[in-house]
């Protein structure tokens, strides 16, 4: 064999296009050409499933792989090589797993690129501290130019009753990422059920679950150039009775990312997010249209989110909802949310960021869409619900329509502003709809400046008043800004 190469087979031509079949007899002098390649070709289902766990070799798809509805009950294990789909797809399969780390590959520390996973069903009885996604449960390598299309993903957490704090990360593409995910497309339906406690547990339990339409948690990794269209139905389940108060599930859901502490650039999502609850839910779920929590060290730039967020039933004591981000501890710049939020539960709700926490900086962003709350005691801000002392919001605006059953606790831009929070050049649309307890009300907020729609959509306002970058934003008369 040739060092560093793999023997592929014998061919009849120098171009290596005509494979020789050894069941054909020689009838004349014939020259055969040995084909060696740095990569191993994948032509069949058998070739694909023969990739060993821990593989470090290079593989490539020669053609599409149709698994013909086959049910797989084991992953391909850990991957550290290179898998190049060459633009082909792996499709028509059912993947059913039960492990702490689960995916087509459990972990990826190599490179997976140019491949589409399409027309599949992926279900996992996921560990209460698991990391799960269709391409990789954990990605520490590179996933690029990949697509996840027409997929149905369902995760059900296994029951846990041991004392302690637990964290789980579930996404459609990957459970967690500390590597690089770039230029990928995700179109899928994700159904998630947390575990349930039945009273038989040992001590205090706190189970925090991060769910993302693309990645459960981006942990110091990079996510860039990803587009997604995902329906998420997330159900948080707790005690079967009201006596078990020291075992808690905390659900944090984001339309694109559950949690971020890395770099997110030029990503765009569309969501249909439905939140359900079963049992005695003592901790309010946290929902962000794009990301639930942007942790310290996280950076999100040039991203957008559209779609809807609703609650399906009323088992919660309340909800925290931000049209783009719920908890914001770090940096968000040049982003917008066009989200319709509708809830029958009391809670803390905002068109862009629910809680701008200490150290969080939000700049050059806006919210549009609508907020509809039929609860009588929600705190609502058109852009931000609470700007905590030590946070900063600058050069931002809101044009969010608001309808609330309450006659108070609602502001056009910011419901609550801490004494040392900074709001600089912030604006709200005076022509947006503002209905409180069924009555049209003047849209006002002393924390920001009111302007009309025409002004808000003008080049002068966008480029000269709030100083948005012409290299980043497009402005068309009669429309709100869009990212280039």
């Amino acid at each position: 064999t040739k060092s560093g190469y793999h023997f592929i087979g014998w061919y009849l031509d120098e171009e290596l296009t005509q494979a020789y079949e050894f069941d054909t007899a020689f009838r004349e002098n014939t020259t055969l050409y040995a084909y060696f390649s740095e990569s191993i070709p994948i032509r069949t289902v058998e070739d694909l499933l023969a990739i060993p766990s821990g593989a470090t070799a290079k593989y490539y798809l020669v053609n599409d792989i149709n698994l013909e509805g086959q049910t797989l009950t084991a992953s391909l294990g850990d991957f550290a090589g290179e898998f190049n789909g060459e633009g082909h797809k792996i499709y028509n399969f059912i993947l059913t797993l039960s492990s702490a780390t689960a995916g087509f590959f459990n972990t990826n520390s190599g490179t997976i690129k140019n491949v589409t996973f399409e027309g599949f069903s992926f279900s996992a009885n996921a560990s209460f501290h698991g990391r799960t996604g269709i391409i990789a449960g954990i990605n520490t390598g590179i996933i690029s130019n990949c697509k996840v299309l027409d997929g149905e993903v369902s995760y059900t957490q296994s029951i846990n009753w041991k004392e302690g704090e637990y964290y789980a990360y579930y996404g459609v593409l990957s459970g967690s990422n500390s590597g690089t995910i770039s230029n990928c497309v995700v179109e899928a339906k994700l159904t998630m059920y947390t575990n349930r406690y039945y009273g038989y547990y040992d001590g205090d339990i706190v189970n925090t679950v991060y769910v993302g339409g693309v990645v459960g948690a981006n942990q110091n990794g990079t996510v860039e150039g990803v587009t997604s269209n995902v329906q998420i139905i997330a159900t948080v389940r707790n005690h079967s009775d009201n006596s078990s108060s020291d075992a808690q599930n905390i659900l944090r859901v984001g339309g694109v990312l559950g949690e971020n502490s890395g770099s997110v650039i030029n990503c765009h999502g569309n969501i249909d997010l439905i939140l359900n609850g079963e049992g005695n839910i003592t901790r309010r779920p946290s929902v962000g249209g794009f990301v639930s929590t942007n942790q310290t060290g996280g950076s999100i730039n040039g991203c957008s989110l559209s779609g809807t967020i609703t609650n399906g039933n009323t088992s919660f004591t309340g909800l925290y909802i931000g049209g783009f981000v719920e908890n914001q501890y770090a940096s968000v710049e040049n982003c917008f949310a066009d989200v319709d939020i509708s809830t029958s539960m009391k809670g803390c709700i905002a068109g862009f960021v629910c809680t701008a926490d200490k150290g969080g900086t939000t700049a050059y962003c806006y919210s549009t869409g609508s907020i509809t709350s039929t609860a009588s005691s929600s705190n609502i801000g058109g852009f931000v619900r609470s700007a905590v002392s030590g946070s900063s919001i600058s050069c931002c605006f809101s044009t969010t329509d608001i309808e609330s059953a309450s006659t108070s606790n609602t502001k056009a831009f910011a419901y609550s502003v801490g004494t040392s929070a900074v709001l600089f050049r912030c604006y709200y649309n005076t022509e947006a709809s503002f209905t409180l307890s069924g009555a049209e009300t003047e849209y006002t907020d002393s924390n920001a400046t009111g302007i009309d729609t025409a002004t808000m959509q003008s080049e002068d306002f966008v480029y000269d008043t709030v100083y948005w970058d012409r290299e980043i934003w497009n402005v068309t008369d009669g429309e709100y800004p869009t990212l280039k």
Side-chain angles (χ1 to χ4, degrees):
T1 59
K2 189 174 181 179
S3 178
Y5 286 73
H6 303 275
F7 176 67
I8 305 303
W10 293 99
Y11 285 74
L12 293 166
D13 60 320
E14 287 188 77
E15 291 74 25
L16 305 174
T17 61
Q18 301 177 54
Y20 176 72
E21 302 295 338
F22 277 90
D23 58 358
T24 303
F26 289 110
R27 301 188 183 278
E28 58 185 12
N29 291 335
T30 303
T31 300
L32 295 180
Y33 298 87
Y35 179 14
F36 291 88
S37 174
E38 291 183 284
S39 301
I40 301 172
I42 303 295
R43 294 187 176 89
T44 66
V45 173
E46 292 73 21
D47 291 341
L48 177 66
L49 300 183
I51 296 175
S53 180
T56 59
K58 295 181 179 180
Y59 301 84
Y60 69 96
L61 291 183
V62 177
N63 44 254
D64 294 346
I65 302 293
N66 181 0
L67 280 89
E68 299 180 340
Q70 182 175 343
T71 297
L72 308 176
T73 57
S75 76
L76 297 187
D78 302 325
F79 188 73
E82 178 181 288
F83 188 97
N84 189 345
E86 297 281 2
H88 296 294
K89 63 183 178 181
I90 300 168
Y91 68 107
N92 191 15
F93 64 91
I94 299 169
L95 180 61
T96 302
L97 301 175
S98 180
S99 59
T101 304
F104 205 88
F105 297 99
N106 282 344
T107 67
N108 173 52
S109 58
T111 297
I112 300 171
K113 61 184 181 181
N114 306 323
V115 62
T116 296
F117 292 84
E118 183 175 346
F120 63 87
S121 172
F122 174 33
S123 60
N125 184 19
S127 166
F128 54 88
H129 54 76
R131 298 167 188 252
T132 308
I134 181 59
I135 295 182
I138 299 173
N139 179 57
T140 59
I142 296 171
I143 299 175
S144 68
N145 298 305
C146 293
K147 295 180 181 179
V148 177
L149 304 178
D150 190 24
E152 293 193 3
V153 180
S154 178
Y155 301 142
T156 302
Q157 257 194 322
S158 59
I159 295 173
N160 168 52
W161 48 78
K162 294 295 183 181
E163 180 179 9
E165 293 188 19
Y166 301 93
Y167 296 88
Y169 307 95
Y170 307 119
V172 172
L173 188 148
S174 181
S176 67
N177 173 59
S178 56
T180 298
I181 297 173
S182 64
N183 303 316
C184 294
V185 177
V186 176
E187 296 179 3
K189 176 182 177 180
L190 169 60
T191 304
M192 173 67 209
Y193 295 90
T194 68
N195 67 7
R196 167 175 276 168
Y197 305 106
Y198 292 92
Y200 304 102
Y201 51 86
D202 177 21
D204 295 340
I205 303 172
V206 178
N207 176 46
T208 303
V209 182
Y210 288 94
V211 179
V214 178
V215 179
N218 182 40
Q219 298 174 320
N220 301 310
T222 297
V223 179
E224 183 172 4
V226 173
T227 60
S228 60
N229 185 5
V230 180
Q231 181 186 43
I232 300 175
I233 302 174
T235 301
V236 56
R237 304 181 295 179
N238 239 30
H239 327 301
S240 56
D241 57 63
N242 292 329
S243 63
S244 307
S245 60
D246 52 355
Q248 303 178 48
N249 280 321
I250 303 171
L251 181 63
R252 301 186 181 277
V253 185
V256 178
L257 305 170
E259 176 190 45
N260 176 58
S261 58
S263 175
V264 184
I265 307 165
N266 298 332
C267 294
H268 307 283
N270 183 76
I271 61 161
D272 175 15
L273 198 159
I274 302 169
L275 194 62
N276 295 317
E278 296 178 3
N280 178 33
I281 312 300
T282 58
R283 295 290 293 269
R284 296 182 178 186
S286 164
V287 179
F290 189 91
V291 58
S292 172
T293 306
N294 190 35
Q295 299 281 20
T296 301
S299 173
I300 303 174
N301 200 321
C303 298
S304 67
L305 193 285
S306 61
T308 61
I309 299 173
T310 60
N311 71 275
N313 57 31
T314 56
S315 294
F316 309 109
T317 57
L319 298 169
Y320 294 100
I321 303 175
F324 190 87
V325 54
E326 197 279 297
N327 273 113
Q328 154 61 340
Y329 294 92
S331 173
V332 176
E333 293 187 355
N334 298 305
C335 298
F336 71 89
D338 182 3
V339 182
D340 294 321
I341 300 169
S342 178
T343 176
S344 59
M345 298 298 303
K346 71 177 182 179
C348 302
I349 309 165
F352 192 86
V353 52
C354 183
T355 305
D357 267 297
K358 183 178 180 180
T361 60
T362 306
Y364 316 115
C365 298
Y366 76 92
S367 63
T368 183
S370 64
I371 296 172
T372 302
S373 173
T374 58
S376 59
S377 56
S378 290
N379 300 328
I380 300 173
F383 187 88
V384 56
R385 191 271 306 186
S386 177
V388 175
S389 291
S391 66
S392 170
I393 299 174
S394 60
C395 301
C396 295
F397 69 86
S398 172
T399 179
T400 304
D401 294 327
I402 297 176
E403 181 178 356
S404 174
S406 176
T407 57
S408 60
N409 302 339
T410 303
K411 294 291 182 66
F413 188 87
Y415 168 70
S416 173
V417 180
T419 55
S420 65
V422 175
L423 270 63
F424 174 72
R425 290 187 180 264
C426 293
Y427 300 83
Y428 63 90
N429 189 339
T430 57
E431 297 176 339
S433 175
F434 194 52
T435 305
L436 301 181
S437 193
E440 283 284 344
T441 306
E442 183 180 1
Y443 209 0
T444 62
D445 189 340
S446 60
N447 295 308
T449 302
I451 58 176
D452 60 27
T453 302
T455 301
M456 194 168 276
Q457 294 177 340
S458 69
E459 287 191 6
D460 287 344
F461 172 73
V462 173
Y463 296 140
D464 300 328
T465 301
V466 288
Y467 308 127
W468 290 14
D469 193 329
R470 292 175 183 269
E471 299 298 317
I472 297 174
W473 292 95
N474 281 314
V475 178
T476 302
D477 284 343
E479 298 179 6
Y480 292 107
T482 57
L483 290 160
K484 292 185 176 180

